[in-house]
Amino acid sequence: MECIECGEKIIGRSDKKFCNDACRNAYNNKQNKDSTNLMRNVNNRLRKNYRILMELNTDGKAKIAKSRMDGLGFDFDYFTNLKVYKNGSEYRFIYDYGYKLLEEDFVLIVKSQS
Ligand SMILES: [Zn+2]
């Protein structure tokens, strides 16, 4: 067996993954850092999307060309929740701002009442 952090041969029990505590800690810290970075990136995208919706929707409701949102860097893959209403219309929300894709590449932006 080799240590999954440093690659050194492990002496002793065959179920050990690390040669010592330092390697175990180094490995776990790296894993945590990766997931922290991932969360930070997702949060940044959501924050940017939120800011764009907020800027475009000043009157509670706005119909905007999708290309304009693309131009501002809006990322349609990132939202916090999906709401499907009884009539079948589907809104993607980023916190309290939501949007629905309309015909002809328009987007309807709304703000949740709650
Ligand atoms: Zn090691």
Side-chain angles (χ1 to χ4, degrees), residues 32-92:
N32 289 339
K33 199 166 159 233
D34 285 348
S35 53
T36 305
N37 283 340
L38 174 68
M39 282 188 266
R40 188 178 298 133
N41 289 340
V42 170
N43 286 339
N44 284 343
R45 287 198 170 126
L46 288 172
R47 194 175 299 126
K48 184 171 184 185
N49 277 355
Y50 187 78
R51 210 167 42 226
I52 292 168
L53 291 182
M54 207 165 66
E55 280 167 16
L56 293 174
N57 182 17
T58 48
D59 291 327
K61 218 174 193 188
K63 190 180 167 186
I64 306 287
K66 189 173 176 287
S67 58
R68 191 172 158 205
M69 292 172 72
D70 286 332
L72 291 169
F74 192 88
D75 191 331
F76 285 88
D77 289 335
Y78 288 85
F79 49 92
T80 57
N81 57 307
L82 180 71
K83 255 185 199 171
V84 182
Y85 292 93
K86 278 193 184 126
N87 63 8
S89 61
E90 187 184 292
Y91 284 81
R92 293 175 195 168

Side-chain angles (χ1 to χ4, degrees), residues 2-8 10 17-20 22-24:
E2 288 168 357
C3 172
I4 60 175
E5 171 62 19
C6 71
E8 284 287 312
I10 299 177
K17 287 195 282 188
F18 302 96
C19 60
N20 58 37
C23 278
R24 182 201 316 281

Side-chain angles (χ1 to χ4, degrees), residues 89-105:
S89 61
E90 187 184 292
Y91 284 81
R92 293 175 195 168
F93 275 87
I94 295 151
Y95 307 112
D96 55 340
Y97 281 91
Y99 66 89
K100 179 172 79 157
L101 300 172
L102 301 174
E103 302 281 293
E104 294 168 4
D105 277 343

